[in-house]
Amino acid sequence: MSLMEFVFRRLAAMIPVVIGVTLCMFLISHAIAGDPAIMIAGPRASAETLETIRRTHGLDQPLYKQYFRYLSDISRGYLGESIRNRRPVLQDLKVFFPATLELTLASMLFCLLLGLPLGVLAAVRRNRLADHLTRLFSVIGVSTPVFWLGLMLLLLFYRHLDILPGSGRISVQFAAPSAVTGLYLVDALLDGDLGLFRDAARHILLPAFCLSYVYLAIITRIVRSSLIDSLEQDYIVTARANGLPEWRVVGLHAFKNSLIPTITIVGLSFGELLGGAILTETIFNWPGMGKYVVDSANYLDYPAIMAVALVSSLAYVLLNLLVDVFYALVNPQIRY
Amino acid sequence: MKTLKRRFVGAVLLALGAVFAAGAAWAATPKDVLVVGVSSDPSTLDPAVTIDNFDMREIFPVYDRLVQYKVVNGLGTTAVEPMAAESWFASQDGLTWTFKLKPGITFSDQTPLDADAVKYSIDRMMAIKMGPAGNFDSLDSVTVIDPLTVRFNLKHPFAPFLQVLATNGGSIVNPKTAKKAKGDDLAQGWLAQNMDGSGPYRLKEWLLGERLVLEARPGYWGPAPALKQIIIRIMREPSDRRLALEKGDIDITESILVDQLPQLEKNPAVRIGRYDGQFVEYVYLNNTRAPLNDKRVRQALSYAVDYRGLIDHVLQGYGAQMRGPVPSGMWGHNPKAFQYKRDVAKAKELLKEAGYGNGLTLTLIYSERRATWEQIATLLQSNFAEIGVDLKLEMMANPALRDRVANKNYELCLGAWSPDFGDPYMFANLWFDSQYGGMPGNRSYYSNPEVDQKLRRAAEAGDADERLKLYTEVQDTVIEEAPYIYLYQLKAIVPMRKEVEGFVFNPLLESMYNFATMRKR
Amino acid sequence: MPWSIRKSGIDGRKAWPVPGSALWLLLRNPSAVAGGGIVLFMALMAVLAPWLAPYDPNALNLAARLQAPSLAHWFGTDEMGRDLLSRVVFGARVSLVIGLVVIILAGGLGTLAGASAGYLGGRFDNVVMRVMDVILSFPSLVLAMALAAALGPSLKNAILAVAFTQVPKFARLARGEALNIRERLFIKAARVSGFSAPWIITRHVIPNCLATIMVLATLTVGETILVAASLSFIGLGAQPPTPEWGAIISVGRKFLLDQWWYPTFPGLFIVLTVVGYNILGDALRDVFDPRLRGGRL
């Protein structure tokens, strides 16, 4: 089977999963929402007003009809209209998705910038103090609730040290950069506005670190163990015996080999990060999809909730697929 | 290895350093820009749809109404004065109100604010039939007499009609917005996110969940405002808002926890405005359900509450126990009315009489709309336990809570109420008239024909003394029958930077600001 | 491999710790001892909470609101004047219950579904695993949130929601094991002797997956506690006045600026507990089942 065929088969297999996802989300969100007419009508609505709203919004239709209407809507790329503020959900997602993406990418960067060297350090100093310390660091990482870590970071860096901002993407005195990619850091650079770039970078630092810590811990461990594995391989031993300097042995040969499992984990974590963003965005007031979905839940705004669930699970499934494809590419022994 | 590591660490440190070093001090906000820290986005900007103060906060500075609340000695009152109207008169029978409009008021596209615009706005609001229309129950039709004269025809006399025109339902919308309608939505889709009014400000941008910006509108008919730009920043957590205020990131804010006030007050750059508000919090008791359909059980619950502890500790003194439904500061308030005090023995006795001597289990629902509610709920739980009532707590999203109340599917529910206009009608008719059962106002589904009759008479009577007498009688009855637990009336707290001047508090416009007449030193 | 452990260790009747037995291996492993110690400590705290806690965790004392840590209140008091130490101690009970119930539910259901799917194969296998794929195609926290919100916020519903998200993990593992076991001689023998599929699954297939499942279960407890605490933090879990750690932090967040101790201590206890389960789980995995090592930490 060729790679293309593999990709197509996986894509085809996704279809029932995605339909399952929409059905799940539809049922769940209708269970949550109770009667959306009450939300639309506002706090002092009369029974008569509610009746009218139910009729005009098709809420008096049987559930299966509403579901089919929903399916046909999303197949046309229409995600519905927010109950809370009557904005098309897609229009809001266009703003919130890049914000979450930016946060997620930044925390991935953290994972790699800190996780790779820490993992290498732990592997090279195996069973010595540095190794034990990174191990402790990692165990605490996977064991710390994101929301609590966020609070502690705020307490330290915003409240006490007062060196980093604690909420939002940019300070109020800045206007948002022109929306090219929606990622403020990138757009600021494209605009050539270094002040804005710096401001945006300062804002993203805490939430990105907070979000990355769990995966940082995982990546550190993976790098360590795969590096240890490859350091024991014959060709490394040979390279050493040939008198290659140690940093070249570790840095170039062994390290390169340990990248494959690392990237796999990075890809998989990426999907999970989108989920973890819910808590981080809430704590740091980061206007992304996570905060959007929590706010929407407070208003029982089910079209918005369903849209976010759909987008994030699609992203998750696609990322898994990408990881598999990548894996197949770099490791030809894998059977599709 | 060593060099590689060092170089890498060096690069990371350098990058971090650059980020941290970037001006640790914040530039203060400019003098003609006011930054407001608020807890949530408006949900809609359509004056015909909302009765939520968070929405009116944006709507009021953008739209004009016929009349507005008078400001006396820097304090807001419940009396009205002309705004877009120049003068008015009511017919003898109180059935028609005729308004003369100020000439020369225009919307941004030069469309004049005339009688047609008023008729369009009011008709639209009545057709949409949401919350704002509830205040206009008595209105029959609007007639255009000439371009600058408009007449309101009432079905029956309605004493507070003039006051009602100062609410957001009376906002005058550019009639050209009719063109933005999609299907038969009366432009609701467009006006939910856009505004087109004749007021001092207009909407510049709205980044959902982040900020909403208003800017001074060129061509405004009144004096140009000192604040050219209003940035409304959405910051959900009260502690975020407080810290931002202390650091000068925002100029004025709202709903700061009372526990944080002593610390906040230590900051010399901050001033805390304290005002007598008419915002009350109370407990709906579902009068249609056993055992709460028994007056004695309701009274027992009213006797069980530790009002003192609640006000002194949870509210830190920023409130006072309610004395009947109509709050102090509103005419019709009766300072001699009966007030329930904590009396555990009496409460137990009442329960026993009602046949619940062995205790009973009730459920209180509440939302997290107000930061103190969880504490109130916990306190009620502990108070009720002392009289043998096991109170279960259930927190839910606000709309879910409304769903339960609208379907009579609850036992006890925490609620808050603030008046739209300055008349006891807001607290008496809406709370107790059985025709408003459910979400329109009578949320405990209280029903007493005698009370209904008196309330309806009070709404229509033109004579203030007669109205006062009727409202006083009704209050005595509904205090005795205790369809609600009357908790407390809150003091409004508005923390702001010292350089902010000219803020006028109005009990009818809580969480709202008079941007056009505010300035910064 | 699991088979031999069952013979010598877990099931063995010999006095412990016999050299070479599982327990003996564990006791020689310092992280297992540390992790086990923490887990044991938390379990004891949960069981002995009424004797350990200096105050009634739900008793209000409005005159002593938001007090800083002191000798009378080691962890300070909350906004209703309740002793935070007592609430944290009782919180250990809640998280122990959450951990156990979720594992029993998710582990039980997942193992049963996975083992049956693996053993029976065919269409049943296909359907079960497709359903698992759907569950797995949501980030677990998102799904748990959605479910908890749909069921209505309460501790019971939060536990159900978390359990639901953890089922596929167990199902996949059990299925893999079952696929192997299915081809083993004694199973074939049982099938030929006419034993029914349910009998074989419950008597042979599942017992043989058990050791692996137990390791996964220990590794999952930590995650479970974290997700449940997250749900409570956003108001979808334990309701007041239940002293659940996540819920305490959620309220404490409002007081973070001036009363730093309020959200800090319950958080430390979450970290400690989860660290305990994770270290113990890692050690169990190293000792019992190196095959799981390729997976997540």
Side-chain angles (χ1 to χ4, degrees):
Chain A
M1 187 167 34
S2 75
L3 187 66
M4 281 316 266
E5 219 180 311
F6 167 68
V7 171
F8 277 120
R9 274 204 14 194
R10 282 291 309 267
L11 278 175
M14 268 175 66
I15 293 172
V17 172
V18 169
I19 291 182
V21 166
T22 60
L23 184 64
C24 247
M25 271 340 286
F26 182 80
L27 290 177
I28 288 177
S29 53
H30 277 255
I32 301 175
D35 186 352
I38 296 212
M39 183 61 224
I40 301 173
R44 271 188 237 156
S46 63
E48 181 200 359
T49 313
L50 290 180
E51 210 42 60
T52 322
I53 290 171
R54 274 183 209 119
R55 212 173 37 248
T56 51
H57 285 74
L59 297 169
D60 50 353
Q61 302 274 316
L63 210 54
Y64 74 92
K65 274 196 183 160
Q66 293 189 43
Y67 176 63
F68 284 126
R69 204 180 67 182
Y70 170 64
L71 271 191
S72 90
D73 280 353
I74 52 175
S75 66
R76 283 184 290 116
Y78 178 67
L79 292 176
E81 192 181 64
S82 153
I83 286 183
R84 179 161 45 132
N85 53 28
R86 304 192 62 123
R87 288 150 76 113
V89 172
L90 195 63
Q91 178 194 326
D92 284 347
L93 279 186
K94 275 185 193 149
V95 181
F96 294 125
F97 183 74
T100 299
L101 188 66
E102 182 176 39
L103 181 59
T104 316
L105 286 173
S107 54
M108 251 6 323
L109 200 66
F110 256 119
C111 283
L112 294 176
L113 281 183
L114 292 174
L116 289 179
L118 277 180
V120 172
L121 184 70
V124 174
R125 307 265 156 161
R126 193 171 163 193
N127 289 333
R128 305 206 353 225
L129 185 66
D131 185 21
H132 294 308
L133 284 181
T134 36
R135 186 170 149 86
L136 186 69
F137 175 77
S138 315
V139 169
I140 293 179
V142 286
S143 311
T144 305
V146 175
F147 57 90
W148 184 75
L149 177 65
L151 291 180
M152 294 299 120
L153 289 174
L154 274 182
L155 193 60
L156 183 63
F157 290 99
Y158 181 49
R159 166 81 172 131
H160 289 296
L161 297 179
D162 195 14
I163 46 176
L164 285 175
S167 93
R169 292 177 81 181
I170 44 173
S171 309
V172 266
Q173 54 267 44
F174 288 100
S178 43
V180 183
T181 58
L183 312 177
Y184 280 9
L185 284 171
V186 178
D187 289 349
L189 285 184
L190 290 179
D191 284 359
D193 188 343
L194 279 180
L196 178 60
F197 176 78
R198 229 186 270 159
D199 187 62
R202 287 164 51 84
H203 277 82
I204 208 168
L205 217 50
L206 286 184
F209 176 74
C210 181
L211 184 56
S212 68
Y213 191 24
V214 180
Y215 301 96
L216 177 60
I218 293 172
I219 284 171
T220 307
R221 299 311 290 169
I222 295 288
V223 171
R224 175 187 179 273
S225 60
S226 55
L227 195 57
I228 285 173
D229 279 351
S230 38
L231 278 175
E232 284 161 1
Q233 303 271 319
D234 288 346
Y235 72 93
I236 296 286
V237 178
T238 317
R240 264 201 193 120
N242 284 347
L244 233 67
E246 183 67 14
W247 68 269
R248 283 201 62 178
V249 173
V250 177
L252 293 180
H253 294 281
F255 186 64
K256 216 190 275 170
N257 270 315
S258 64
L259 270 181
I260 295 170
T262 308
I263 287 175
T264 313
I265 291 294
V266 167
L268 291 176
S269 327
F270 198 80
E272 288 277 341
L273 278 177
L274 287 171
I278 291 184
L279 293 165
T280 314
E281 290 180 1
T282 313
I283 299 276
F284 291 96
N285 211 24
W286 186 266
M289 288 212 302
K291 190 165 166 296
Y292 179 58
V293 78
V294 170
D295 290 349
S296 303
N298 273 324
Y299 285 90
L300 303 184
D301 191 347
Y302 73 96
I305 301 172
M306 287 199 294
V308 173
L310 189 69
V311 170
S312 65
S313 62
L314 271 184
Y316 191 59
V317 173
L318 274 176
L319 275 166
N320 277 320
L321 175 64
L322 278 181
V323 169
D324 284 357
V325 171
F326 168 82
Y327 210 70
L329 276 178
V330 293
N331 194 350
Q333 291 144 317
I334 236 116
R335 88 188 151 104
Y336 299 132
Chain B
M1 180 63 204
K2 279 252 163 70
T3 36
L4 187 78
K5 201 168 77 186
R6 265 198 206 134
R7 228 182 275 161
F8 181 79
V9 172
V12 170
L13 285 182
L14 211 69
L16 284 178
V19 170
F20 276 100
W26 298 90
T29 56
K31 222 184 132 198
D32 57 353
V33 175
L34 186 80
V35 187
V36 189
V38 305
S39 60
S40 78
D41 276 298
S43 48
T44 168
L45 299 175
D46 190 339
V49 168
T50 183
I51 47 166
D52 187 331
N53 288 32
F54 290 164
D55 303 340
M56 284 153 31
R57 180 178 61 213
E58 286 80 18
I59 291 172
F60 268 53
V62 171
Y63 292 101
D64 286 327
R65 283 149 297 282
L66 290 174
V67 292
Q68 65 186 358
Y69 300 114
K70 228 185 272 183
V71 176
V72 178
N73 298 329
L75 278 177
T77 66
T78 56
V80 297
E81 65 180 10
M83 193 176 191
E86 199 168 56
S87 62
W88 58 83
F89 65 90
S91 64
Q92 203 70 60
D93 56 6
L95 282 175
T96 61
W97 291 76
T98 311
F99 289 83
K100 203 84 191 141
L101 302 178
K102 283 188 183 135
I105 302 181
T106 56
F107 295 96
S108 295
D109 62 353
Q110 300 309 315
T111 308
L113 189 160
D114 55 12
D116 284 321
V118 175
K119 180 173 166 56
Y120 165 77
S121 305
I122 302 290
D123 284 353
R124 177 175 177 273
M125 179 222 21
M126 296 301 281
I128 289 173
K129 272 195 190 154
M130 301 260 203
N135 291 333
F136 287 82
D137 269 352
S138 56
L139 182 65
D140 182 49
S141 62
V142 182
T143 334
V144 176
I145 308 290
D146 66 48
L148 288 180
T149 314
V150 64
R151 177 172 297 157
F152 293 79
N153 309 302
L154 270 50
K155 290 181 232 166
H156 51 79
F158 185 59
F161 186 70
L162 200 54
Q163 268 78 13
V164 166
L165 287 174
T167 65
N168 69 319
S171 297
I172 303 161
V173 181
N174 187 343
K176 294 274 167 62
T177 54
K179 288 197 192 117
K180 309 278 189 188
K182 268 197 200 138
D184 53 359
D185 82 337
L186 299 169
Q188 282 185 70
W190 193 80
L191 281 168
Q193 329 165 36
N194 299 283
M195 299 199 270
D196 191 351
S198 52
Y201 290 95
R202 67 180 176 197
L203 180 65
K204 186 174 175 220
E205 63 169 350
W206 179 10
L207 300 170
L208 197 65
E210 206 167 346
R211 60 171 112 159
L212 184 148
V213 182
L214 300 176
E215 63 181 355
R217 193 176 69 89
Y220 172 57
W221 56 275
L227 299 168
K228 297 297 170 221
Q229 215 178 71
I230 311 292
I231 302 177
I232 295 169
R233 278 189 78 182
I234 291 94
M235 313 175 83
R236 231 173 105 100
E237 279 301 301
S239 47
D240 286 355
R241 295 197 293 275
R242 171 200 146 184
L243 206 50
L245 181 74
E246 286 204 61
K247 296 189 174 185
D249 292 350
I250 58 177
D251 296 310
I252 189 165
T253 188
E254 61 184 21
S255 4
I256 295 293
L257 293 183
V258 286
D259 299 288
Q260 304 203 344
L261 292 179
Q263 279 293 328
L264 185 56
E265 208 149 27
K266 284 187 197 149
N267 188 331
V270 173
R271 179 177 74 223
I272 298 177
R274 297 178 171 79
Y275 311 93
D276 291 319
Q278 293 178 1
F279 191 102
V280 303
E281 295 187 357
Y282 57 124
V283 184
Y284 323 146
L285 306 174
N286 186 344
N287 283 233
T288 61
R289 259 205 198 185
L292 294 169
N293 53 1
D294 187 328
K295 180 172 91 179
R296 289 166 299 190
V297 175
R298 301 196 300 259
Q299 287 170 338
L301 296 181
S302 298
Y303 276 119
V305 179
D306 177 12
Y307 301 94
R308 275 291 293 281
L310 201 163
I311 288 160
D312 289 354
H313 297 293
V314 177
L315 302 182
Q316 297 278 299
Y318 286 99
Q321 188 187 342
M322 287 173 78
R323 198 175 270 284
V326 178
S328 132
M330 170 86 76
W331 78 265
H333 173 74
N334 179 3
K336 282 181 263 165
F338 175 75
Q339 212 174 25
Y340 288 91
K341 295 279 178 220
R342 178 172 164 81
D343 188 340
V344 174
K346 186 145 191 182
K348 278 186 175 160
E349 199 184 296
L350 281 163
L351 275 188
K352 205 169 181 180
E353 265 178 49
Y356 297 99
N358 298 325
L360 77 156
T361 303
L362 294 169
T363 304
L364 170 78
I365 58 175
Y366 65 101
S367 71
E368 62 178 355
R369 198 176 154 83
R370 312 264 319 155
T372 45
W373 276 1
E374 182 148 322
Q375 296 178 52
I376 306 292
T378 314
L379 185 72
L380 291 179
Q381 187 177 48
S382 137
N383 287 165
F384 287 0
E386 290 176 56
I387 62 162
V389 174
D390 179 15
L391 188 68
K392 299 258 179 282
L393 304 182
E394 227 179 285
M395 195 195 67
M396 56 187 68
N398 203 38
L401 181 120
R402 299 210 304 244
D403 188 296
R404 297 275 297 268
V405 174
N407 291 310
K408 298 189 192 173
N409 179 23
Y410 78 100
E411 288 177 326
L412 288 83
C413 174
L414 265 176
W417 189 267
S418 67
D420 292 352
F421 52 88
D423 194 275
Y425 179 90
M426 285 302 308
F427 288 88
N429 294 64
L430 288 179
W431 281 23
F432 302 104
D433 189 333
S434 58
Q435 68 173 324
Y436 300 122
M439 286 321 290
N442 183 350
R443 288 166 187 178
S444 58
Y445 296 93
Y446 173 72
S447 171
N448 179 336
E450 196 192 333
V451 167
D452 283 357
Q453 211 187 7
K454 282 184 183 165
L455 286 173
R456 286 169 205 177
R457 253 174 42 220
E460 294 180 12
D463 179 34
D465 288 342
E466 190 193 347
R467 298 189 71 207
L468 185 63
K469 184 172 158 284
L470 286 165
Y471 280 132
T472 310
E473 284 171 25
V474 166
Q475 286 188 75
D476 287 343
T477 315
V478 298
I479 291 170
E480 203 262 329
E481 301 209 314
Y484 302 94
I485 302 176
Y486 308 103
L487 292 178
Y488 47 81
Q489 177 175 355
L490 282 172
K491 261 203 171 25
I493 302 162
V494 185
M496 59 192 109
R497 302 284 297 179
K498 281 246 165 76
E499 51 275 17
V500 176
E501 287 178 341
F503 170 69
V504 174
F505 175 82
N506 189 315
L508 303 179
L509 307 173
E510 207 146 335
S511 318
M512 296 165 65
Y513 308 87
N514 53 311
F515 299 129
T517 47
M518 286 167 74
R519 66 206 161 263
K520 275 161 82 176
R521 231 185 321 136
Chain C
M1 163 74 148
W3 197 238
S4 61
I5 292 166
R6 270 167 53 77
K7 282 281 177 272
S8 60
I10 296 172
D11 249 12
R13 297 208 180 123
K14 291 179 209 156
W16 67 292
V18 181
S21 76
L23 206 54
W24 183 80
L25 278 174
L26 278 180
L27 284 175
R28 279 172 46 107
N29 182 327
S31 20
V33 173
I38 296 176
V39 169
L40 197 68
F41 171 75
M42 288 297 166
L44 281 177
M45 192 161 102
V47 174
L48 301 177
W51 293 276
L52 287 177
Y55 299 87
D56 174 349
N58 293 328
L60 311 190
N61 179 3
L62 291 179
R65 299 172 73 240
L66 297 170
Q67 293 194 346
S70 64
L71 280 179
H73 301 282
W74 291 6
F75 291 180
T77 62
D78 71 3
E79 80 287 359
M80 303 303 288
R82 293 172 292 200
D83 179 51
L84 277 168
L85 173 63
S86 307
R87 289 181 70 70
V88 168
V89 168
F90 272 87
R93 282 195 160 186
V94 185
S95 65
L96 186 72
V97 169
I98 294 173
L100 286 180
V101 177
V102 168
I103 292 307
I104 291 169
L105 285 178
L109 192 65
T111 308
L112 192 65
S116 314
Y119 177 78
L120 297 171
R123 177 170 276 177
F124 181 76
D125 182 27
N126 241 326
V127 171
V128 169
M129 294 328 278
R130 214 39 75 222
V131 171
M132 296 301 155
D133 281 349
V134 172
I135 301 178
L136 278 176
S137 62
F138 293 99
S140 60
L141 182 64
V142 176
L143 184 60
M145 270 180 65
L147 279 174
L151 296 170
S154 76
L155 187 59
K156 192 183 78 199
N157 292 340
I159 289 176
L160 285 179
V162 179
F164 188 75
T165 61
Q166 300 294 333
V167 167
K169 227 190 241 178
F170 289 93
R172 285 196 157 181
L173 186 65
R175 176 173 176 270
E177 293 282 297
L179 283 176
N180 281 330
I181 295 164
R182 182 165 74 166
E183 304 307 324
R184 301 257 284 270
L185 261 180
F186 70 99
I187 299 280
K188 285 186 175 159
R191 212 170 354 195
V192 173
S193 320
F195 286 107
S196 69
W199 195 89
I200 297 176
I201 291 171
T202 50
R203 291 300 168 88
H204 287 299
V205 179
I206 291 181
N208 275 289
C209 312
L210 224 49
T212 332
I213 295 287
M214 289 300 288
V215 175
L216 181 64
T218 316
L219 281 168
T220 308
V221 175
E223 189 188 337
T224 297
I225 292 177
L226 284 182
V227 176
S230 306
L231 287 183
S232 295
F233 178 73
I234 47 180
L236 292 172
Q239 296 298 299
T242 316
E244 201 273 342
W245 292 334
I248 300 177
I249 297 175
S250 171
V251 181
R253 176 187 179 194
K254 297 191 191 111
F255 302 97
L256 178 72
L257 295 182
D258 298 323
Q259 286 84 26
W260 57 268
W261 59 87
Y262 189 164
T264 303
F265 289 115
L268 284 176
F269 272 77
I270 299 184
V271 176
L272 189 62
T273 313
V274 180
V275 163
Y277 279 105
N278 281 339
I279 297 182
L280 181 66
D282 278 353
L284 284 178
R285 183 185 57 193
D286 290 346
V287 171
F288 284 136
D289 199 11
R291 271 171 306 163
L292 277 172
R293 209 181 258 165
R296 304 276 291 277
L297 192 85

